[in-house]
Amino acid sequence: MKTFLLCFATLFIIISCSADYDNEKSEIIPQASESSGKIYNNDNPFDLKGRQLYEALNFYYKENQTPKSVAELTHQIRLISQVFPESSNVTNRLIPFTDEMVDSIMADPDNSMIQIVQNSTLQLYAKNNLITFLQNLIIKRQQEFSIINNYITGYESEVITDTVFTSQEAETILTVASISRYSLYSEVERKDKDWDILVGSKPARSLFKNNERSIVIIIALLDKIL
């Protein structure tokens, strides 16, 4: 009987310690929402960066409507950019998050992106690789999300297996790919929610083209990542 009680007490302590550890771990590791889990890419070791952006966007939408002007989009970028600490490589090249910056990216996203990437400390091979990815993303932004998502995850797989990148370059590029995936998904999700709200009423004409807000966010955040 004593042996039985001793075993029971020991088992109780082990279970209690295990529960405490799980609780501590849940506080340390951010929990992905059910929606973000739909596009989680387990192959990308830096997928968490994109999920953090996605959750920051969700937090923004709890207090604000979908940006419908340049000023509102600029405000959104300022808030969600706080998710990413300043890159140690950032110098005076940093473009401030202003209405003028957003206007500039909207007017010429391709060249705005190229300028930021070219001014980074990535080696030439990495720069060209990332530029090609983002150029294709800009072109594909009008397509269905499933097509865009397949393109991004395919690119992530290529980066993971490419031995030319340094570990730091791979982390940087995979972070860009991850935030691209989640940013575009968030906009698609937001359109669906906005549509549900507008059913029965005439939708207001949007200043932004299809997935343009996401592309502007991605390019603007390059300065925080590269």
Side-chain angles (χ1 to χ4, degrees):
M1 185 68 177
K2 290 182 179 179
T3 303
F4 173 78
L5 292 174
L6 180 61
C7 292
F8 181 82
T10 303
L11 181 62
F12 178 80
I13 292 171
I14 292 174
I15 294 173
S16 298
C17 291
S18 177
D20 290 340
Y21 172 77
D22 289 339
N23 290 334
E24 290 176 5
K25 190 167 67 171
S26 66
E27 293 175 0
I28 297 171
I29 303 175
Q31 299 299 305
S33 67
E34 181 179 351
S35 296
S36 67
K38 295 177 182 177
I39 58 166
Y40 174 68
N41 184 5
N42 190 51
D43 293 332
N44 184 342
F46 306 102
D47 187 86
L48 178 61
K49 301 292 182 68
R51 277 186 285 158
Q52 288 174 329
L53 172 65
Y54 176 82
E55 299 302 341
L57 286 166
N58 279 350
F59 184 80
Y60 171 87
Y61 288 128
K62 286 180 180 178
E63 303 293 333
N64 304 274
Q65 295 182 337
T66 301
K68 296 180 175 62
S69 68
V70 170
E72 289 177 356
L73 181 55
T74 302
H75 175 65
Q76 183 187 50
I77 292 172
R78 284 178 186 152
L79 291 180
I80 64 175
S81 69
Q82 297 175 22
V83 172
F84 303 97
E86 295 286 0
S87 168
S88 58
N89 296 322
V90 172
T91 60
N92 57 4
R93 67 175 171 81
L94 183 62
I95 301 174
F97 296 134
T98 63
D99 293 354
E100 290 73 22
M101 178 208 71
V102 172
D103 268 327
S104 177
I105 295 176
M106 288 178 58
D108 195 349
D110 200 71
N111 282 326
S112 296
M113 174 271 298
I114 291 174
Q115 181 180 358
I116 296 173
V117 176
Q118 290 288 13
N119 287 336
S120 72
T121 59
L122 296 173
Q123 63 170 321
L124 182 60
Y125 176 79
K127 287 179 180 179
N128 291 338
N129 190 286
L130 181 56
I131 286 173
T132 299
F133 163 70
L134 291 171
Q135 284 177 326
N136 288 331
L137 195 64
I138 291 170
I139 294 171
K140 293 176 182 292
R141 73 179 183 270
Q142 301 286 354
Q143 298 179 353
E144 293 182 4
F145 177 76
S146 60
I147 298 174
I148 299 174
N149 187 46
N150 287 337
Y151 168 67
I152 296 174
T153 54
Y155 175 70
E156 288 170 312
S157 297
E158 292 176 2
V159 173
I160 291 169
T161 58
D162 194 328
T163 57
V164 178
F165 297 121
T166 66
S167 58
Q168 184 175 359
E169 287 173 338
E171 176 180 352
T172 298
I173 294 174
L174 288 171
T175 297
V176 173
S178 178
I179 70 165
S180 299
R181 188 158 30 83
Y182 281 96
S183 178
L184 285 159
Y185 177 71
S186 177
E187 182 163 356
V188 171
E189 193 176 44
R190 181 53 45 181
K191 285 176 188 172
D192 292 340
K193 291 179 180 177
D194 287 347
W195 175 256
D196 290 340
I197 294 173
L198 290 169
V199 168
S201 60
K202 186 177 179 179
R205 184 176 179 181
S206 175
L207 170 68
F208 304 99
K209 299 176 183 177
N210 188 36
N211 289 334
E212 187 173 23
R213 283 189 296 263
S214 294
I215 294 297
V216 172
I217 288 172
I218 294 164
I219 295 174
L221 291 179
L222 289 176
D223 258 320
K224 297 280 288 187
I225 299 169
L226 300 183

